Amino acid sequence: MVRQRVATMVLLALLIFVLAACGKTSEVNEAMPEQQDTPVEESGTQTIEHLKGTAVVPQKIERMVVLSAAYIDHMLTIGEKPAGVNVEVRYGGDYLPYLADQLADVPTVGSADSPNLEAILQINPDVIVVESRTADSTYEQLEKIAPTIVLGNEWLDYEDDTTYWTQDLLTIAGLFNKVDLAKEKIVEVEQQAEQLKAKIEQLDQKKLAYLRVREKTLQIYAEKGHPTNTLLYHDLGFVPTAVTPVEQREDLSIEKIADIDANFVVLEVDPNAEDYLNNINASSLWKRVPAVGEDQVYTTDSFWLFKGWGAIGRSEIINEVEDMIQ
């Protein structure tokens, strides 16, 4: 009887212990926040803030269509190849010449202003990246094809910020988890510019005019307002001429040509501007420009306007300028 009583008491004690443990387990479970399974379709995504709101895109992007020369440069800078790119009549071909070798066989999808929606649809992109001006007319249509990210800070007012060209590069690099690589490339271009600036500082005369010959007019680019301008006058240290505007490019009449007191002229010529260029070259006023008399006129094309936005393009401009001042 004694053994039975002891056994019963032991069993009762064990039962009480088990019940107490269960109670504590229940309390712990109630205190824990409820964990929810992530739906399969939402796993492996990233959310990007952009000018039109937010876009949810894959964490690993396989096919990105870009409708901007700058964004093509940005992707190639970080070692990513676009799945589709825009074309523009000014290119003179499907691709910008300075990027053409790296874009072999990449499908073209119309212009930035009038993208070929069917061509984009055939690519089945993970994401589309466009400039703000493109988004004004096509964003809703593109968004139906794939998540569409709207960048385009080129139309914003950055006042004295000369690094704004890097912002979209860093955004695109972030989509591929390559921000550190993008920063390395930016530093490389900045160091390249600093080395050339040191050479330019040694010049006795370093006034530069950046001109554009159009079909019926001559324009002069400003000291600011575009990354190519700030590259020349800020990063490289050229001095603006007496007629160089500060913020926005301006038209120059033939009579004003004599006021261009430039030691170097970068002359950008539109494809349809040969006749007007001939008129300028024949002008006695043009011959009075110091750079003309010193044979320091460097003829280029509109690609400098595209190149100024990207690390690859800026590096090429720096190389061209170095050749120009030799």
Side-chain angles (χ1 to χ4, degrees):
M1 289 293 293
V2 173
R3 287 182 178 178
Q4 264 186 325
R5 194 176 298 119
V6 171
T8 301
M9 292 177 65
V10 170
L11 287 172
L12 286 171
L14 287 172
L15 181 60
I16 292 169
F17 177 79
V18 170
L19 290 172
C22 288
K24 288 186 178 292
T25 301
S26 178
E27 290 175 6
V28 171
N29 286 339
E30 289 175 3
M32 289 282 287
E34 186 177 356
Q35 300 294 323
Q36 296 182 349
D37 292 334
T38 302
V40 175
E41 64 270 19
E42 292 183 9
S43 63
T45 61
Q46 51 181 320
T47 301
I48 306 299
E49 299 286 339
H50 62 93
L51 295 181
K52 284 284 189 178
T54 60
V56 179
V57 303
Q59 192 70 43
K60 183 173 177 57
I61 296 171
E62 300 287 350
R63 297 175 304 282
M64 178 184 284
V65 169
V66 289
L67 300 179
S68 165
Y71 307 159
I72 299 170
D73 192 307
H74 296 339
M75 287 192 69
L76 295 175
T77 293
I78 58 172
E80 297 291 339
K81 197 169 185 177
V85 297
N86 65 296
V87 297
E88 194 163 339
V89 175
R90 285 177 290 176
Y91 293 3
D94 287 342
Y95 312 118
L96 273 172
Y98 84 101
L99 300 175
D101 290 346
Q102 300 183 66
L103 294 173
D105 302 324
V106 172
T108 56
V109 293
S111 69
D113 295 329
S114 300
N116 185 330
L117 300 178
E118 184 177 348
I120 296 174
L121 190 60
Q122 289 177 354
I123 294 171
N124 188 27
D126 299 318
V127 60
I128 303 168
V129 185
V130 302
E131 294 178 353
S132 54
R133 59 178 175 177
T134 302
D136 288 342
S137 58
T138 62
Y139 174 74
E140 292 181 0
Q141 295 169 298
L142 293 171
E143 181 70 10
K144 292 175 182 177
I145 298 174
T148 300
I149 295 173
V150 182
L151 303 178
N153 60 43
E154 72 275 13
W155 302 110
L156 302 181
D157 183 5
Y158 285 85
E159 297 181 350
D160 294 326
D161 180 9
T162 59
T163 65
Y164 61 93
W165 68 272
T166 66
Q167 295 187 17
D168 286 343
L169 168 56
L170 294 172
T171 298
I172 288 175
L175 291 170
F176 294 92
N177 196 26
K178 289 187 174 183
V179 171
D180 288 343
L181 175 59
K183 289 180 177 178
E184 289 176 13
K185 297 297 183 181
I186 292 168
V187 169
E188 288 176 9
V189 175
E190 290 175 342
Q191 291 175 343
Q192 185 185 6
E194 287 172 5
Q195 291 170 4
L196 181 55
K197 185 176 184 179
K199 294 181 181 180
I200 292 171
E201 286 175 345
Q202 300 303 312
L203 298 175
D204 292 333
Q205 304 292 332
K206 42 183 173 285
K207 284 189 178 181
L208 179 142
Y210 180 21
L211 306 174
R212 182 174 183 178
V213 184
R214 313 204 73 164
E215 185 177 9
K216 296 182 179 180
T217 187
L218 176 66
Q219 294 182 326
I220 183 166
Y221 284 107
E223 182 181 350
K224 303 177 183 179
H226 189 283
T228 301
N229 303 350
T230 53
L231 172 61
L232 294 172
Y233 295 111
H234 177 271
D235 296 10
L236 296 181
F238 281 108
V239 177
T241 70
V243 292
T244 298
V246 177
E247 298 290 348
Q248 299 290 333
R249 66 186 177 192
E250 295 179 359
D251 291 347
L252 285 180
S253 64
I254 291 291
E255 293 75 19
K256 273 284 188 180
I257 288 178
D259 296 330
I260 303 174
D261 56 338
N263 311 107
F264 298 93
V265 167
V266 175
L267 195 63
E268 174 186 308
V269 183
D270 283 7
N272 58 353
E274 288 300 322
D275 289 343
Y276 200 78
L277 176 62
N278 291 335
N279 292 338
I280 291 172
N281 286 330
S283 168
S284 60
L285 297 177
W286 177 246
K287 293 178 174 63
R288 289 165 54 183
V289 175
V292 177
E294 296 164 12
D295 196 24
Q296 295 284 8
V297 177
Y298 181 85
T299 302
T300 181
D301 45 42
S302 60
F303 301 141
W304 270 32
L305 292 179
F306 296 108
K307 287 181 176 181
W309 285 103
I312 298 172
R314 288 173 81 84
S315 179
E316 291 207 1
I317 291 176
I318 293 169
N319 289 334
E320 292 176 54
V321 170
E322 187 160 22
D323 291 340
M324 182 180 76
I325 67 170
Q326 297 299 338

